[in-house]
Amino acid sequence: MKLIKNFIIKFALVAIVVSAFSCKKENAFDTNNGNETTANEAHPKLILTAQGVKDIRAQLGNIPIFDNTLEKVKEEVDAEIALGIEVPIPLDYSGGYTHSRHKQNWFVMQKAGVLYQILDDEKYAKYVKDMLMQYEEMYKTLPLHPKTRSYARGKLFWQCLNDSNWLVYVSQAYDCIYNYLTEEERNKLETNLFRPFADHISVDSPQFYQRVHNHSTWGNAAVGMIGLVMDDQELIDRALYGTKGVNLDKNAKDDDGGFLNKDGKAGFLANIEEPFSPDGYYNEGPYYQRYAMYPFLIFAEGLHNVKPELKIFDYKEGVLLKSINALLNLSDADGDFFPLNDGQKGMSYYTNALVTAVDISYHYGGQDPGLLSIAKLQDKVLLDDSGLAVALGIKNGEEKPFNKKSINLSDGPDGTQGGVGILRSEDLELVFKYAAQGSSHGHYDKLSYSLYDNGEEIIQDYGLARFVNIEQKGGGNYLKENNSWAKQTIAHNTVTQNETSHFGGKYEIGSLHHSDLNYFSSEHENIQVASAIEKNAYPGTEMLRTMAIIKDEDFEKPYMLDIMKITSNKANQYDFPYYFMGQVLQTNFDYNTPETLKVLGNKNGYQHLYVEATGKAASENSKLSWLNKGKFYSLTTVTNTNDDLLFTRIGANDPDFNLRREAALLLRRKNVTNTTFVSTIEAHGSYSPVTESAFNSNSSIVDLKVVLDTENYTAVLITNVNGNTKLFITVNANASKESKHSLNINDNNYQWTGSYYFK
């Protein structure tokens, strides 16, 4: 805390009246004549404001989380200054040296600019100025990046996306040292660097800029933020509404197979309107929502400070701030985001983008005390006005727990394109995806799910096939296996028909459709249910899936019930995988293990699956138990003696070892038209390697039976080891909470109101 103490002592010795008229120590005054300027002309004004600087300086040494963050940032920037400035000629893909150096430069410049404002130490302003002048000298003669893979090449980086990252951060640095620079220096930077940079991202790269996508959100924010600093209304309008007079080929696609501008919509406002549902769910999934939230919120904060008349945080009924609550709810018990669509496992709300999101959401969104508990876990804040607000809230003991409960998040601009349901009971979390395609980062996995126990995967979603920023693996970019495996239906816990992915694995078809909610119920503590229908994944086939988390006093822990009802106009083969995590303990069916591994199929993801064992269902219930990280799990699934049971493992046709070698049990049902898959998964017991003792290692379910399966209802009877039975009836049609039902099953009458019956 030495730097903070020194700062306080320094400023105690300086008369306030003197500092008020110093062009470099009070940035709310014009550098040329000392006359007070309007708020729009004052600097800094973008993220850190002139008033915010005063407030922060007044609190330094008295706000622990802010003070600690400041200390760490100063150590980092001082170390970079000691190393000297390096602005290399661009050469590499992601993860390569020049890429990483320019990336580090943008972070350090932004931080150095903030330090200049807060600590009033000109060495930081000089550092930013000197580096910017080196970029100005290089950029004015810089050609396109030598790597040609991207659909939109940048100049500093191999893709315009990273160029936009650079400008979003550097615009903040420029704002912080704006008044440190002479007018001549500013004109030089704006004429030779910033304006051409913004033009390349937007005017020169319409295929990147003129679309609704996380890429263009970064581009919009970059152009808009430098426009706000430069007070350039043309750039601001270009950011908000897109570039005028641009018409793109509506069938053209990007590197990931998504349309560039199918609907002709563009600009920052369109990027708020289209991807976000009214609940704040972002259609590309939480991994890319996390990535996009930084430009969304940091540009919104700049617009709020410089253009308050736009009321940007109220746009689309305040969806930007709502989205933070949605995103936090899309994380497991450890804060890791669920890997829906393209998503890297391990990405969590500890990332810097979520520090930004939490702080801005708290400051501008009504100061929700639950957000303070997340900020406290993050253990750092932004060094700006919003970070100060969070630091003061924590200091004053105002935080409350952020309680993640069961939640249903709609998808689509109007909330009518399916969604994601999350069921939570004690340590169990079930993530049920019935959403739209998710733009070019979407996967072909309608009605898929994953299951977590206190943050640990029980039944996994594979996520993406990519080693982000690891140059040795495809330049840190998406690998071909992302398309051949990770996006394919067989890679997910849902039904694959005739070894063909949903929509034939074609984005043009998948992007036209979404699943529909049948019902969602989370009102009762002991049973929570999500049910949805998919009618378009396979022509002539409908899939209705109902998933429940049930808390029953006869069981040690809550368990999952899964009912997948399939109706088709012809006979098909259905493959139903369970991507379990852990070590096989026991099955109740026999299987054979081959001496030589064979591949399950030759396309649509099947070419990446080895068959490790084959068996046949021996009874009406097939069971698998496994151990994972000291806990036992058991799958019970309804089968018949014609069903095949295959143990598979990912990794076939993968000579570069790009895929994780993980296992699944696959239930195959051949030559049937209509069928219903019914399963339970129990979490039970524990094992200690220290005491070498196993507790409650066996399943508590002795029988799982479908006692009724019609167009309108499916009823499942669950019998436990004590002989106690529970009946679950799901309503397949007319499933409103107000609907009344009367049903006779095996001479017993059942009457109820609502979407399901359980007793």
Side-chain angles (χ1 to χ4, degrees):
M1 308 305 290
K2 182 179 179 182
L3 75 94
I4 298 169
K5 293 178 181 178
N6 290 342
F7 174 84
I8 295 171
I9 294 170
K10 174 182 175 182
F11 269 77
L13 299 175
V14 180
I16 296 175
V17 66
V18 174
S19 65
F21 287 94
S22 168
C23 65
K24 293 181 182 177
K25 295 179 182 177
E26 178 46 72
N27 292 320
F29 290 81
D30 184 80
T31 58
N32 296 320
N33 55 26
N35 294 325
E36 189 171 356
T37 66
T38 65
N40 191 47
E41 294 172 331
H43 293 272
K45 62 178 180 178
L46 192 62
I47 308 304
L48 183 64
T49 66
Q51 183 59 49
V53 171
K54 292 180 181 178
D55 295 340
I56 290 168
R57 288 175 176 178
Q59 293 288 344
L60 282 183
N62 195 37
I63 38 175
I65 192 170
F66 193 102
D67 294 337
N68 292 337
T69 303
L70 182 63
E71 187 81 30
K72 291 175 183 176
V73 168
K74 184 178 184 300
E75 289 176 2
E76 177 189 349
V77 175
D78 286 349
E80 287 287 339
I81 292 175
L83 288 174
I85 294 171
E86 185 174 4
V87 179
I89 297 296
L91 179 64
D92 304 312
Y93 279 126
S94 304
Y97 177 75
T98 63
H99 181 100
S100 299
R101 184 64 259 174
H102 289 298
K103 184 175 179 179
Q104 180 68 0
N105 285 350
W106 86 48
F107 285 126
V108 175
M109 277 194 281
Q110 188 269 343
K111 293 173 181 177
V114 170
L115 290 178
Y116 167 60
Q117 286 294 330
I118 294 175
L119 300 179
D120 192 45
D121 188 336
E122 290 188 17
K123 79 172 182 181
Y124 299 111
K126 184 179 185 303
Y127 178 75
V128 175
K129 169 190 165 181
D130 291 347
M131 189 182 294
L132 286 178
M133 288 303 175
Q134 289 194 33
Y135 273 108
E136 180 271 340
E137 180 65 26
M138 180 177 70
Y139 193 83
K140 60 190 178 186
T141 59
L142 200 62
L144 288 177
H145 196 280
K147 298 295 187 184
T148 59
R149 179 187 294 180
S150 177
Y151 76 104
R153 289 156 69 191
K155 290 190 174 184
L156 289 182
F157 299 91
W158 70 278
Q159 56 177 346
C160 277
L161 173 60
N162 299 124
D163 278 32
S164 299
N165 300 155
W166 187 92
L167 190 55
V168 164
Y169 283 88
V170 172
S171 62
Q172 299 172 59
Y174 182 50
D175 180 45
C176 284
I177 71 159
Y178 190 92
N179 288 337
Y180 175 83
L181 301 170
T182 66
E183 183 176 356
E184 180 182 1
E185 290 167 338
R186 292 196 296 265
N187 288 338
K188 184 177 182 181
L189 289 172
E190 292 178 8
T191 302
N192 298 331
L193 178 60
F194 293 135
R195 184 62 189 244
F197 205 110
D199 286 344
H200 177 69
I201 290 169
S202 53
V203 177
D204 298 344
S205 309
Q207 75 276 24
F208 163 78
Y209 193 78
Q210 291 290 112
R211 62 187 305 207
V212 172
H213 193 274
N214 76 77
H215 286 194
S216 52
T217 298
W218 276 97
N220 300 152
V223 171
M225 289 174 70
I226 198 63
L228 290 173
V229 180
M230 293 163 52
D231 196 22
D232 188 324
Q233 191 61 45
E234 181 186 354
L235 291 182
I236 297 169
D237 289 342
R238 192 188 301 170
L240 293 174
Y241 310 110
T243 306
K244 295 180 180 179
V246 175
N247 293 309
L248 297 177
D249 180 356
K250 295 187 181 299
N251 294 314
K253 295 181 178 180
D254 65 12
D255 300 331
D256 300 314
F259 290 114
L260 293 178
N261 197 331
K262 188 72 172 175
D263 300 319
K265 297 178 180 179
F268 187 68
L269 298 182
N271 271 285
I272 297 175
E273 292 164 3
E274 293 299 310
F276 287 105
S277 77
D279 294 327
Y281 178 76
Y282 187 71
N283 73 345
E284 295 183 44
Y287 179 76
Y288 275 96
Q289 181 172 354
R290 169 275 323 173
Y291 181 64
M293 286 322 297
Y294 186 84
F296 270 123
L297 290 173
I298 210 75
F299 184 32
E301 186 174 23
L303 287 169
H304 175 86
N305 289 333
V306 183
K307 299 283 185 181
E309 65 275 10
L310 292 177
K311 297 182 179 180
I312 193 64
F313 284 120
D314 295 331
Y315 196 77
K316 195 178 177 179
E317 299 184 350
V319 74
L320 284 180
L321 296 177
K322 284 183 185 177
S323 70
I324 307 308
N325 182 72
L327 186 53
L328 292 172
N329 269 291
L330 286 164
S331 66
D332 65 21
D334 297 326
D336 292 350
F337 296 122
F338 302 128
L340 303 172
N341 297 328
D342 283 341
Q344 177 165 254
K345 293 184 179 183
M347 177 55 70
S348 74
Y349 58 51
Y350 292 99
T351 183
N352 286 334
L354 263 292
V355 174
T356 299
V358 167
D359 290 4
I360 290 177
S361 182
Y362 177 80
H363 187 45
Y364 297 104
Q367 300 200 339
D368 176 7
L371 293 174
L372 295 179
S373 64
I374 302 293
K376 202 168 183 178
L377 290 171
Q378 293 169 332
D379 197 29
K380 56 185 172 183
V381 294
L382 296 178
L383 298 179
D384 65 12
D385 308 39
S386 60
L388 175 63
V390 169
L392 289 172
I394 292 174
K395 175 200 168 188
N396 295 331
E398 296 170 2
E399 75 271 9
K400 293 182 179 179
F402 186 91
N403 293 321
K404 289 184 281 189
K405 299 179 180 179
S406 295
I407 189 170
N408 187 49
L409 298 169
S410 62
D411 194 5
D414 301 315
T416 57
Q417 297 179 12
V420 173
I422 304 170
L423 304 178
R424 291 182 166 103
S425 182
E426 295 183 0
D427 290 337
L428 214 59
E429 295 176 305
L430 185 148
V431 186
F432 180 45
K433 181 188 173 190
Y434 64 98
Q437 181 62 29
S439 298
S440 58
H441 287 296
H443 290 191
Y444 302 100
D445 62 331
K446 297 303 180 189
L447 308 186
S448 69
Y449 81 100
S450 53
L451 188 65
Y452 294 77
D453 183 4
N454 195 28
E456 297 293 341
E457 292 173 309
I458 304 172
I459 301 292
Q460 68 145 335
D461 187 301
Y462 187 86
L464 55 73
R466 179 184 182 187
F467 293 77
V468 182
N469 285 325
I470 299 177
E471 187 182 22
Q472 298 93 321
K473 287 290 191 179
N477 304 309
Y478 280 98
L479 300 164
K480 65 182 187 299
E481 289 82 7
N482 199 58
N483 289 324
S484 63
W485 167 253
K487 286 191 174 187
Q488 300 297 326
T489 302
I490 194 60
H492 301 84
N493 302 295
T494 187
V495 166
T496 300
Q497 177 176 297
N498 300 328
E499 298 190 20
T500 302
S501 288
H502 296 172
F503 311 110
K506 297 184 184 299
Y507 176 77
E508 297 88 339
I509 302 173
S511 61
L512 298 175
H513 302 292
H514 58 83
S515 305
D516 292 302
L517 182 68
N518 185 32
Y519 66 89
F520 182 88
S521 176
S522 61
E523 293 84 4
H524 303 290
E525 180 183 358
N526 292 337
I527 180 165
Q528 300 172 58
V529 191
S531 179
I533 189 167
E534 172 54 48
K535 301 179 179 180
N536 299 293
Y538 298 111
T541 298
E542 291 187 3
M543 300 183 293
L544 173 64
R545 191 169 204 171
T546 301
M547 308 199 75
I549 296 292
I550 298 170
K551 185 177 180 181
D552 188 327
E553 61 184 9
D554 290 331
F555 290 77
E556 177 193 352
K557 300 176 183 178
Y559 64 91
M560 183 195 84
L561 172 64
D562 176 20
I563 304 170
M564 173 71 93
K565 181 178 176 64
I566 302 172
T567 307
S568 187
N569 59 8
K570 63 183 178 67
N572 300 291
Q573 172 184 292
Y574 302 110
D575 289 336
F576 197 91
Y578 303 88
Y579 284 95
F580 66 93
M581 303 295 284
Q583 181 71 42
V584 172
L585 293 181
Q586 186 179 33
T587 70
N588 72 340
F589 57 89
D590 294 329
Y591 53 84
N592 297 312
T593 57
E595 292 184 5
T596 302
L597 293 179
K598 294 184 178 180
V599 180
L600 185 59
N602 57 21
K603 59 183 178 179
N604 303 323
Y606 282 76
Q607 73 274 24
H608 291 301
L609 287 174
Y610 284 120
V611 179
E612 291 192 324
T614 59
K616 280 283 189 180
S619 64
E620 293 182 350
N621 283 180
S622 294
K623 297 182 78 77
L624 165 69
S625 294
W626 68 95
L627 174 67
N628 188 45
K629 298 188 176 180
K631 296 181 180 180
F632 297 103
Y633 302 96
S634 292
L635 162 72
T636 304
T637 184
V638 175
T639 52
N640 62 68
T641 53
N642 292 320
D643 289 342
D644 294 321
L645 294 163
L646 311 174
F647 280 103
T648 66
R649 189 168 298 276
I650 305 164
N653 290 301
D654 180 28
D656 296 323
F657 295 92
N658 287 333
L659 297 173
R660 303 190 303 269
R661 270 51 181 166
E662 292 164 342
L665 174 67
L666 187 145
L667 171 56
R668 172 167 282 179
R669 194 164 290 169
K670 302 181 205 174
N671 198 30
V672 292
T673 303
N674 302 330
T675 192
T676 300
F677 293 92
V678 176
S679 305
T680 59
I681 294 180
E682 305 164 73
H684 55 89
S686 61
Y687 177 77
S688 170
V690 175
T691 62
E692 297 183 327
S693 58
F695 167 75
N696 194 20
S697 62
N698 293 305
S699 166
S700 294
I701 293 176
V702 297
D703 190 42
L704 185 65
K705 182 180 295 185
V706 179
V707 293
L708 180 76
D709 194 16
T710 68
E711 180 180 356
N712 295 320
Y713 304 98
T714 300
V716 177
L717 190 68
I718 305 164
T719 304
N720 73 0
V721 290
N722 297 321
N724 297 329
T725 61
K726 291 291 174 67
L727 181 68
F728 178 86
I729 306 172
T730 181
V731 179
N732 298 329
N734 189 27
S736 71
K737 294 180 180 179
E738 296 77 24
S739 59
K740 297 182 182 298
H741 305 274
S742 179
L743 192 61
N744 185 280
I745 303 175
N746 297 332
D747 297 326
N748 292 313
N749 291 315
Y750 300 93
Q751 294 182 338
W752 76 96
T753 299
S755 307
Y756 67 89
Y757 172 92
F758 181 73
K759 192 171 181 181

